[in-house]
Each structure stands twice: as structure tokens, then as C-alpha cells.
Amino acid sequence: LDITYDITEGNKKFINKIIILGNTRTNDSVIRRELTFLEGDPFNKAKLNLSINSLKRLGFFETVNYKLKDTNDSQSIDLIIQVKEVNTGSASFGVGYSSLNNTMFTLGLKERNFLGEGKNLRFEANLSDQKSTYNIGMTEPYFLDRHLSLFGSIYDQESENTKGDVKSNKTGFNFGLGFNLSDLSQTIKYNFSTSETTTTSTSTAASETGEEGKEIISSSITHSLSQDTRDNYFNPSSGYKWIFDNTLAGFGGNTKFYKSVFNIKAFYPISYGDYVLGLKSGFGFVSAIDDKITLSNRFLLGGKTLRGFDNAGVGPRDTGNNESVGGNNFYNLSFELKSDKFMPDDTGLEWFVFSDVGSLWGTDYETGVRGYDDKNPRVTNGFGLSMNTPVGPLQMIWGFPIQSETYDIEENFQFSIGTSF
């Protein structure tokens, strides 16, 4: 069988007007700055698709559609962009239940589109019997009306182990600048923090944190490189997002180390989008330039990253009080299949199944620590349900470890719910 293609090149079209509809709150300028073309430019379908996906990733709109309209000039067309806005302010509330009978409350106030100008304001608080964290921050995505983002935050964290005999406090601030290079995003951030750990005289801890009775001052610079091609901010079905962070500490302070972390999320539609296969992976390490890596600069693993375990349920643990001491190295890999098939119509209910793999190991203080060099993978399987409710998104997760160590701490059920205003 012979096939002949007869191709006739059409006339080049130019964009006459860009008309934006449906944005009662978001300024036109916020939408236009995401477009890769202007009035008078040649029409390019590839650039149009990139611009539409960029608008969807903002998280300001439920839907973004477009249509082309002919004009009196045969060589020009009007582009009409129709958006449907969503509430960008949110008050979130979350509750977690663990096998240790610990309960954690999460409170948050966020506004991703302050005054319709795309500014991001946030206040977050995580409260539990053993830990309290506060964070206040702001991001200006188009500083000086250019493709420059300016951001900063201040934070405070107080924590103690389950027995209350080891307590730590960490306070700091950060600020930075971000910019785009082609389709890649880059940020440079400066972070300053002070932390201190105290151990009571009745403590059963057998390991050293490296911070007992000392004020640890950290002054560091982080360079981040990232790319985001996801088709939707809230519920992506295709595309990917990755970020690569490299931190160098030692610009003042009394800690010197190098830390590198890479994370990626990818989504693949199956059966015309009826099912979505998700992949999540990450790895990282921290290495001392001078002295040793202390507790506050190590990694923790568990919770939402390794479902089926406590928030810090995996990795090296103190032989005396069985508390997590963190690790200098980690990796994780997750596969997830989700769909709304077989669920009641118009409820927004989705089911998902997953399998998570990961490990955490390595510490510069090995005395009194079990599993400090155990690289064996932990494996969990599980399932969950998620849906949009009148009070916001709700998610329930059941995770069941099938490969773990005797000193790991499991958490088989997680629950969270949020609300918007």
C-alpha cells in the first residue's frame, strides 16, 4: 500500500487582539505575563499550548479555555481566553493519628493571589504534644514588573521527644530571588538560623546530638534549579515537576557543610485520562566540611513521603529512648495509580493505590545509635480515598509496611481535611 501526503501551506496568521474573560478578581496583567506572545506576533499553536498550561499551573483558575475568532483581515485573528476563578485564599486544618497515639494538628492561612496581583502570603502552624512550628512568608512573583520573584519568610520551631527529656528550639529567616532561564526556573536563597538542644538530667538518651548546651548558628546559601510542565496545579494528569537544591553553609556561623537534594514528580495519563499513573522520587545527602553534621541538619523520613510509617519513623534510632536521630543520606521512590472510575458521579471522589520504597542512614555520631549504617529499603503498600467536600479537600490513607526494621515506627492511617474562603 502506497500513501501519498499532499500538504499545502496555509497563510500565516497574526494575533490581532487578546481578549480575557471571566477574571473578576485576577488582574489582566497577571494573566498576560504568563503568555509567551503579544498582540501583533505570529500565531503559534505550540506557544499557545504552553501559555495555557502555564495559566493552569498558577492555581488561580478552575478552568482555562480559549477560542480563535476571525477578523475582517484574513491574515489576523482574535484570541479569546476564558477563565473560571477559584478561591485562592485557604484555611487548612489537618489531623494525624499514629501508632504511638500521638495527634498532630495543622493550621494554615494562605492567599496565593493577594489583591488579584499574584502575590503569595502565608501563615502556617503545626502543633502537637512534641512539636510546634510557625512560618510566616511572602512571595512577589514579578518583582519590578519583570520575570523576577522576590521571597522571604521567618520561622520558629520547638520540639521535644516523646519522653520530654530532649528539647530543641530553632529560629531563623530566609530571603531570596528567583528568575527564569529559558523554561528552567532558578532561585538563590540566603538562610540564617540559630538552634539549641537541651537534655534533662533524667534523660535515657544514649546518643549525642552534637548540639547539647550549644547554640548552633547556621548561615547558608542555596541554589535551586527546577522545571514544571504539569497540566494542572490542583490535580495534574500529565507532565512533571523536578527541583534540585544545593546548599553551602559556612558564610559566618559555626557550621560548615554541603547539602544536596533532588525531588521529582511525574504524571502519565492512561486509557485517555481515566487513570493517572504518578511517580515520585527523591534523594539527598549532607556532608560536613568542618567538624560533624549535628541533629538539626540531618534528614528525616516517613509520613507522607513513606506512607505507612510515622513522620520520622524510618532510619537510625537512639538505643536508649528509641527516638529518631535522623540521617545524612536518604532516598525514596513511590508509584501511585489514581482514578474516579467506579466512584459515584459528581462527588469528586477518587481512589488510589500506591507502593512506596525508601531508606535513611548515616550519622557522624554512631555511639548509642542502632541502624546508623542500615541502607536496607523499607517497602509499603496501601490505598486511599480523596475528594472535594463542602469544607475543602479530604484525604484518607491506609499504609501497610511489608518490609521494615524492628526499630522502625509505623503509622497505618493518615487523615487530613482543609477548607477555603
Side-chain angles (χ1 to χ4, degrees):
L1 177 66
D2 293 332
I3 299 177
T4 301
Y5 293 95
D6 187 5
I7 300 174
T8 302
E9 186 176 2
N11 295 326
K12 181 177 290 187
K13 298 281 188 177
F14 293 86
I15 300 174
N16 179 48
K17 292 181 180 179
I18 300 175
I19 303 170
I20 302 172
L21 303 175
N23 56 320
T24 57
R25 184 162 182 258
T26 306
N27 296 342
D28 273 17
S29 59
V30 173
I31 298 175
R32 289 179 177 270
R33 68 194 186 192
E34 299 297 325
L35 305 180
T36 57
F37 47 81
L38 300 171
E39 283 94 346
D41 287 353
F43 174 73
N44 186 305
K45 182 65 180 298
K47 288 186 175 181
L48 176 59
N49 290 337
L50 289 174
S51 299
I52 295 299
N53 284 340
S54 181
L55 288 172
K56 291 179 179 179
R57 287 194 297 270
L58 289 176
F60 302 164
F61 312 110
E62 181 180 344
T63 59
V64 180
N65 298 304
Y66 72 90
K67 63 180 179 179
L68 305 176
K69 183 179 178 181
D70 292 329
T71 66
N72 295 330
D73 186 348
S74 61
Q75 289 189 321
S76 66
I77 56 174
D78 289 338
L79 172 61
I80 302 174
I81 298 177
Q82 178 78 46
V83 300
K84 183 179 180 181
E85 294 180 315
V86 297
N87 293 322
T88 54
S90 65
S92 60
F93 169 76
V95 181
Y97 304 94
S98 77
S99 57
L100 298 178
N101 296 319
N102 292 330
T103 302
M104 183 183 72
F105 296 93
T106 301
L107 301 173
L109 294 173
K110 296 182 181 180
E111 174 53 68
R112 299 190 309 275
N113 189 15
F114 184 64
L115 300 178
E117 297 178 352
K119 295 180 175 66
N120 186 314
L121 302 179
R122 58 194 177 275
F123 167 76
E124 297 173 316
N126 295 284
L127 309 174
S128 70
D129 292 338
Q130 282 77 42
K131 186 176 182 179
S132 61
T133 303
Y134 302 91
N135 188 306
I136 302 175
M138 182 188 74
T139 299
E140 167 56 77
Y142 273 77
F143 183 57
L144 300 177
D145 293 325
R146 298 180 180 274
H147 286 275
L148 295 173
S149 62
L150 184 68
F151 58 89
S153 64
I154 57 176
Y155 55 89
D156 180 80
Q157 176 179 305
E158 297 181 2
S159 62
E160 63 180 35
N161 61 10
T162 55
K163 296 185 178 181
D165 55 3
V166 179
K167 300 180 181 180
S168 63
N169 176 268
K170 186 174 184 178
T171 303
F173 67 89
N174 60 63
F175 60 88
L177 188 69
F179 56 94
N180 293 333
L181 180 63
S182 184
D183 60 341
L184 300 178
S185 297
Q186 297 192 71
T187 62
I188 298 176
K189 178 178 70 175
Y190 173 77
N191 183 79
F192 179 89
S193 66
T194 62
S195 63
E196 188 172 358
T197 299
T198 58
T199 304
T200 65
S201 59
T202 59
S203 173
T204 60
S207 65
E208 296 181 36
T209 66
E211 302 178 2
E212 289 87 353
K214 297 188 296 184
E215 184 181 41
I216 304 298
I217 301 175
S218 178
S219 177
S220 63
I221 292 179
T222 299
H223 174 261
S224 298
L225 189 65
S226 64
Q227 186 178 30
D228 191 351
T229 67
R230 295 173 300 170
D231 64 343
N232 192 282
Y233 177 87
F234 296 103
N235 195 18
S237 60
S238 66
Y240 58 84
K241 178 183 180 180
W242 60 265
I243 182 169
F244 186 34
D245 293 335
N246 290 280
T247 300
L248 181 62
F251 301 91
N254 52 15
T255 59
K256 296 181 180 181
F257 62 85
Y258 175 76
K259 179 183 288 188
S260 184
V261 181
F262 178 81
N263 285 291
I264 185 171
K265 296 179 180 180
F267 305 89
Y268 303 92
I270 300 174
S271 186
Y272 302 100
D274 288 340
Y275 303 88
V276 176
L277 177 64
L279 167 68
K280 180 174 67 175
S281 183
F283 62 85
F285 69 90
V286 57
S287 179
I289 297 176
D290 187 20
D291 204 6
K292 298 179 179 181
I293 299 298
T294 60
L295 177 64
S296 62
N297 291 313
R298 300 179 199 144
F299 300 105
L300 300 175
L301 187 63
K304 292 184 178 180
T305 304
L306 198 58
R307 292 163 287 190
F309 291 98
D310 190 76
N311 284 331
V314 171
R317 307 196 81 80
D318 191 292
T319 58
N321 57 19
N322 203 38
E323 296 291 328
S324 172
V325 301
N328 294 353
N329 313 277
F330 84 94
Y331 71 85
N332 67 276
L333 176 64
S334 299
F335 296 94
E336 181 177 290
L337 182 69
K338 68 177 180 178
S339 175
D340 60 0
K341 299 289 286 185
F342 316 114
M343 294 288 103
D345 295 335
D346 302 324
T347 62
L349 187 64
E350 290 186 319
W351 57 264
F352 56 91
V353 293
F354 63 85
S355 181
D356 296 345
V357 181
S359 186
L360 176 75
W361 73 95
T363 174
D364 293 342
Y365 298 86
E366 300 176 358
T367 303
V369 178
R370 63 165 65 99
Y372 61 84
D373 200 28
D374 185 358
K375 303 176 185 178
N376 291 331
R378 277 63 160 182
V379 182
T380 68
N381 292 329
F383 61 91
L385 295 172
S386 64
M387 68 177 298
N388 289 320
T389 72
V391 293
L394 177 148
Q395 190 174 68
M396 294 178 289
I397 299 174
W398 290 266
F400 306 98
I402 60 174
Q403 185 171 322
S404 61
E405 299 298 327
T406 56
Y407 50 83
D408 293 334
I409 306 299
E410 297 184 8
E411 181 182 276
N412 300 121
F413 177 69
Q414 296 179 16
F415 166 80
S416 64
I417 187 170
T419 185
S420 60
F421 61 88

